[in-house]
Amino acid sequence: MPTLAGVNGDPLHYDVRGVGPWVMLGYPFAGPGTETVDALPDAFLERLTDRFRVIVVDYPRGVGRSAPPAPDATTVDNVCAEMLLVADAAG
């Protein structure tokens, strides 16, 4: 699973699967127990990846393998900036 540096340099984990128009998913992907990309049921992703290129992010921070946020760092500007960083990194 690829990793990139978030706005404060902490790691953000994501994965890209499938082909077609882009869709970005974050937590909760499909309910409790699916906090990481690897925990997603294959049947859930297969319904999307045959038609879409899916960016799956361990997000919000502190979910899965992405680092927890610094106190007071979860702002609208930071969340938007990090989603754009992931989208850019994913192509």
Side-chain angles (χ1 to χ4, degrees):
M1 169 184 273
T3 302
L4 62 91
V7 294
N8 65 349
D10 290 337
L12 297 175
H13 295 269
Y14 70 97
D15 198 7
V16 180
R17 301 180 189 184
V19 295
W22 292 90
V23 174
M24 185 179 282
L25 299 176
Y27 178 78
F29 304 112
T34 57
E35 290 85 3
T36 68
V37 172
D38 297 332
L40 281 172
D42 287 336
F44 178 80
L45 276 179
E46 287 171 6
R47 291 177 183 232
L48 295 172
T49 57
D50 63 340
R51 297 177 308 234
F52 300 99
R53 188 164 197 176
V54 181
I55 305 170
V56 188
V57 187
D58 284 354
Y59 206 88
R61 286 173 156 273
V63 168
R65 288 171 276 179
S66 291
D72 302 322
T74 305
T75 66
V76 171
D77 289 340
N78 284 350
V79 171
C80 290
E82 290 184 330
M83 292 299 99
L84 289 172
L85 286 170
V86 172
D88 286 344

